[in-house]
Amino acid sequence: MEASAVAALTGVLQGLMDAENGNFFVGAVPLNDYPDYTSIIKRPMDLLAVKNKLAAGDYKSAEALARDVRRTFLNAMIYSRTRFAIVAKTARALLDRFEADLARARRDTPALRSPSLSEPRRAKACAAALSAVKKHKAEGGKRPLASPFLVALDPSRFIGYELIVKKPMDLVKVEARLKGSGGDRYATVADFVRDVRLTLSNALRFNQALEDMAENGIRCAAVELCRLFDDHCGAAGFDVLPCDTWRDCCACTDALLRACDDRGMVEEMLLFLFPINYYFNGGEPPNYGKHVKVRTSVSEALARVLEGKTRTDVAFLRDMLRIFQNCETYWRAMRKTEPEDAATYIDYAQKCGGLLVEVAGEVFGP
């Protein structure tokens, strides 16, 4: 990284270390004092180690550094949540501060901004990544996995598509913008990466078909192509999303869907796959907005990870739990007017929410 980028990131790290209780995260956790630490935390990290790696030139991008900083605070939240409330609370606050400080540093430091596509080498690398995605075939497959994503879907042929997918995107359109066809050209690598991921995340939004579970062909193709796209972006030195985060989140969703199928909870889980307006012909239940302020669904929570709007395991799980909390909150408010429905849907929310906690523990650890 350029010297100006290193200086800006050093300033961000120093601000975290100097913050109130920031010393909690400076230096490795002493294993003599906490002998069970490595049995719970598999990837230890701390701010001093991050700062030293930055000074040594070990980070090729700001996103690589950000992954380690996020891991530092996530580790603290996981290990300390039932042991040291002040540590977990501070970690949550400093993680929020880090995201804000990093965004500010990127705005103020040209070397940290997404690289321009006016440089031929970068444009060629983007074209190569897109070509690899378009041509990739599954083992033994006859046609490319990207075939369903090449052109925009016709909403009239897919009931509810417009209610679930708010920003349609396809790979042909991405390729045209990459080439500058029609005068509309991507300005930065980040713009290009965003639209490729949007194309694939839209597939996750619309293809959470419970009856096919994690074996849904379109969904699996989107996940495999995202892995491939990450590999090419990483090889080109581009900032990409934290791979371990989105892959673990996919694994958690798959485990939840399988567990619902195994335990005969398909009917319950179907209510939470898509946005609430999908089930009400584009509308919402009476007074829903009065009681539920942040609307989400399983498909939306996972798509937000793929698009980079959700950056951490903890944030993903918070979004997923909110799905069931929303249902419970709304129907508790409706118990007087619709007692039977309220009892049914509250039970559904509690069962599915409890199952999420169970499978999340298996995927992400305690």
Side-chain angles (χ1 to χ4, degrees), residues 22-321:
N23 60 296
F24 291 163
F25 314 103
V26 178
V29 171
L31 299 183
N32 288 337
D33 296 333
Y34 307 100
D36 64 338
Y37 187 77
T38 54
S39 67
I40 297 171
I41 301 301
K42 304 305 181 183
R43 288 172 284 177
M45 185 55 61
D46 66 88
L47 295 180
L48 182 58
V50 175
K51 187 176 180 181
N52 289 339
K53 287 176 68 176
L54 177 62
D58 291 345
Y59 293 118
K60 294 182 179 180
S61 70
E63 188 55 50
L65 176 141
R67 285 197 288 270
D68 278 352
V69 174
R70 292 179 188 123
R71 179 56 53 191
T72 297
F73 296 129
L74 287 174
N75 286 347
M77 285 186 270
I78 291 169
Y79 185 77
S80 301
R81 61 186 174 186
T82 59
R83 297 172 175 84
F84 313 107
I86 183 62
V87 175
K89 182 178 179 180
T90 303
R92 173 73 264 176
L94 288 183
L95 179 57
D96 290 342
R97 171 174 170 171
F98 169 69
E99 299 294 356
D101 289 352
L102 179 60
R104 189 178 304 110
R106 280 179 160 150
R107 287 196 303 269
D108 297 343
T109 310
L112 286 177
R113 296 173 193 160
S114 182
S116 170
L117 277 175
S118 61
E119 206 273 319
R121 180 186 61 82
R122 296 192 191 107
K124 185 176 180 180
C126 289
L130 182 60
S131 178
V133 168
K134 289 176 61 181
K135 294 178 179 179
H136 182 68
K137 297 178 182 179
E139 186 175 352
K142 294 184 178 180
R143 68 172 191 163
L145 289 178
S147 297
F149 315 123
L150 293 179
V151 296
L153 293 179
D154 178 359
S156 66
R157 297 179 55 202
F158 298 90
I159 297 173
Y161 187 79
E162 291 178 309
L163 298 175
I164 296 170
V165 176
K166 302 301 184 183
K167 296 180 180 179
M169 184 55 62
D170 60 77
L171 296 181
V172 168
K173 188 178 294 183
V174 171
E175 186 172 38
R177 290 195 65 188
L178 186 60
K179 293 178 178 178
S181 303
D184 184 17
R185 183 188 294 273
Y186 290 120
T188 67
V189 171
D191 295 334
F192 163 73
V193 170
R194 179 201 62 220
D195 277 358
V196 173
R197 286 190 170 278
L198 179 60
T199 301
L200 300 175
S201 66
N202 282 344
L204 294 190
R205 279 190 171 90
F206 192 67
N207 289 279
Q208 293 290 347
L210 197 65
E211 62 271 19
D212 293 330
M213 307 313 295
E215 283 68 44
N216 179 286
I218 301 294
R219 185 181 183 283
C220 289
V223 171
E224 182 170 342
L225 290 177
C226 198
R227 290 192 179 101
L228 178 69
F229 184 63
D230 267 11
D231 290 343
H232 279 270
C233 288
F238 299 152
D239 278 1
V240 294
L241 300 180
C243 295
D244 57 337
T245 297
W246 76 259
R247 293 181 188 190
D248 287 350
C249 293
C250 283
C252 181
T253 306
D254 290 349
L256 177 62
L257 297 180
R258 288 195 184 96
C260 285
D261 197 26
D262 292 344
R263 302 186 190 189
M265 292 170 55
V266 170
E267 179 182 355
E268 290 92 330
M269 193 63 203
L270 279 172
L271 298 173
F272 305 108
L273 293 182
F274 302 114
I276 191 70
N277 60 355
Y278 174 79
Y279 304 98
F280 288 84
N281 196 29
E284 292 182 342
N287 298 314
Y288 189 78
K290 177 181 178 182
H291 303 292
V292 175
K293 303 305 180 185
V294 182
R295 297 159 176 78
T296 190
S297 63
V298 172
S299 58
E300 180 65 19
L302 187 56
R304 286 175 59 84
V305 174
L306 212 60
E307 292 168 12
K309 297 174 182 176
T310 299
R311 287 282 191 170
T312 66
D313 306 349
V314 170
F316 167 73
L317 290 175
R318 188 168 60 240
D319 280 353
M320 290 287 285
L321 286 170

